[in-house]
Amino acid sequence: MAREFKRTDRVGDQIQRDLAVLIQREIKDPRLGMVTISHAKVSKDLSYADIYITVLALGDQDEVEAIAASLKVLRNAAGFLRAQLARGIKLRVMPELRFHFDESIERGRRLHSLIEDAYRKENARKPESDNEE
């Protein structure tokens, strides 16, 4: 059975693809770090789109500063980006763009490191428990 795709999902995917190209080619602000769009979620009525990004800090820039600066640049350019998207995506009304930092990747890294630490500690204790028997 074929999976049905909701219209909002298709619009979100298209916005994600087009926005990634626009940010790379059109925004020349030096404060903007290496931005990746991880997800675009469009509301049911297509009035707004929540854009989730990840940021790779460049040079000696602090990661928190890079995220804040990149979000500021993207929020200031939201009107321009929305207008450019409207040229390529034919919708009656282009959704308003709202940019957010995607914390899921950082949370995944943190969980992965906790699991690895627990695994290492468990392996370090195994030889001791084998000697007790």
Side-chain angles (χ1 to χ4, degrees):
M1 183 164 79
R3 178 176 177 230
E4 292 184 37
F5 292 99
K6 292 189 288 185
R7 182 169 189 237
T8 56
D9 293 341
R10 291 192 311 265
V11 170
D13 289 344
Q14 188 65 45
I15 287 174
Q16 181 179 353
R17 283 191 300 270
D18 291 358
L19 201 52
V21 172
L22 280 172
I23 289 171
Q24 181 183 15
R25 293 183 182 168
E26 299 295 328
I27 299 185
K28 304 296 183 197
D29 195 312
R31 297 173 295 166
L32 189 65
M34 294 281 295
V35 173
T36 303
I37 298 177
S38 58
H39 184 65
K41 182 179 179 186
V42 180
S43 66
K44 289 182 181 180
D45 63 354
L46 300 176
S47 62
Y48 61 89
D50 288 313
I51 311 299
Y52 295 91
I53 65 164
T54 58
V55 179
L56 179 64
L58 297 175
D60 60 348
Q61 194 175 26
D62 181 34
E63 189 171 351
V64 175
E65 292 173 9
I67 292 167
S70 295
L71 281 173
K72 184 176 181 182
V73 168
L74 290 172
R75 287 175 180 154
N76 288 339
F80 168 76
L81 293 170
R82 182 180 180 197
Q84 295 299 314
L85 285 173
R87 289 182 173 181
I89 303 173
K90 299 301 177 196
L91 293 172
R92 187 173 296 152
V93 177
M94 178 56 63
E96 176 186 339
L97 303 177
R98 302 187 306 190
F99 291 95
H100 310 280
F101 178 66
D102 186 3
E103 297 177 359
S104 64
I105 293 174
E106 184 59 37
R107 194 176 314 123
R109 280 190 209 135
R110 201 168 37 247
L111 287 173
H112 181 71
S113 69
L114 288 173
I115 291 169
E116 281 190 349
D117 288 346
Y119 181 75
R120 274 192 235 111
K121 287 178 183 176
E122 184 66 27
N123 282 343
R125 284 194 302 182
K126 273 189 178 180
E128 293 173 9
S129 62
D130 290 342
N131 293 338
E132 292 175 4
E133 295 177 14

